[in-house]
């Protein structure tokens, strides 16, 4: 069900901005040495007004990543300017220290409209399919009508 009211959805669904990133560390020692600074940074992040939720992920052998949700892009960027984050980034990228070999960051912002269903649907609690797909940018540009969803029966 299309919605712009995510008040009953879990906290990440209510967020307006998402950070996704990862760092490839040079080895186990770098990951272990990261601990104290990382814990300070997470404490600072959780105390921020715009913090919503985060999760850490791992990819073998030495890559750690973070997915973090904030109320909006500005709140996410305020965190990035924070003391603990800045100190950790300086520690990580200190020239010649070779604590990491690679890293990346992406920032995403949420559209005002999305989809909710069932108990997470604030309007009426309905659990149902949408009748039309959200239009692609090329469909909007050409003024095409919304494409209907083909509802499939239960698999046999």
């Amino acid at each position: 069900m299309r919605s712009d009211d995510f008040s009953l959805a879990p906290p990440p669904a209510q967020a307006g901005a998402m950070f996704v990133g990862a760092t490839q560390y040079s080895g186990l020692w770098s990951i272990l040495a990261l601990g104290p600074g990382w814990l300070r940074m997470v404490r600072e992040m959780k105390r921020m007004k715009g913090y919503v939720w985060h999760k850490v992920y791992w990819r073998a052998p030495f890559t750690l990543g973070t997915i973090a949700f904030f109320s909006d892009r500005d709140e996410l960027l305020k965190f990035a300017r924070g003391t603990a984050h800045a100190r950790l980034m300086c520690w990580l990228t200190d020239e010649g220290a070779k604590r990491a070999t690679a890293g990346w960051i992406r920032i995403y912002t949420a559209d005002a409209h999305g989809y909710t269903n069932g108990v997470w649907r604030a309007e009426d609690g309905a659990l149902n399919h949408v009748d039309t797909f959200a239009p692609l940018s090329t469909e909007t540009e050409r003024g095409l009508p919304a494409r209907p969803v083909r509802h499939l029966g239960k698999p046999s």
Side-chain angles (χ1 to χ4, degrees):
M1 307 291 290
R2 282 190 184 82
S3 181
D4 60 2
D5 184 352
F6 294 87
S7 60
L8 296 181
Q14 298 176 36
M18 179 177 73
F19 165 95
V20 181
T23 302
Q24 181 178 292
Y25 293 89
S26 57
L28 185 57
W29 178 248
S30 292
I31 292 174
L32 294 173
L34 165 77
W38 183 81
L39 290 171
R40 279 190 294 278
M41 185 189 71
V42 169
R43 278 195 302 270
E44 184 175 285
M45 178 175 66
K46 286 182 169 184
R47 285 194 302 260
M48 296 199 67
K49 180 181 78 162
Y51 169 80
V52 175
W53 181 84
H54 82 281
K55 194 71 167 175
V56 175
Y57 65 94
W58 171 75
R59 184 169 183 192
F62 302 117
T63 299
L64 290 176
T66 303
I67 301 170
F69 293 86
F70 290 81
S71 59
D72 58 47
R73 187 175 189 272
D74 282 347
E75 293 299 321
L76 188 158
L77 295 176
K78 285 178 189 175
F79 162 71
R81 295 176 182 185
T83 304
H85 182 262
R87 281 192 178 138
L88 190 62
M89 292 301 102
C90 289
W91 173 86
L92 182 65
T93 59
D94 188 25
E95 195 170 324
K98 299 183 180 175
R99 294 178 176 122
T101 59
W104 60 271
I105 291 171
R106 294 295 303 221
I107 295 174
Y108 300 95
T109 54
D111 287 339
H113 300 283
Y115 297 86
T116 58
N117 238 327
V119 297
W120 293 337
R121 181 159 176 81
E123 291 87 344
D124 62 11
L127 184 63
N128 203 348
H129 297 282
V130 294
D131 293 323
T132 58
F133 288 110
L136 303 174
S137 60
T138 54
E139 294 168 334
T140 304
E141 290 166 2
R142 296 189 334 219
L144 297 174
R147 185 173 162 212
V149 173
R150 192 176 105 201
H151 297 288
L152 304 174
K154 292 182 182 178
S156 41

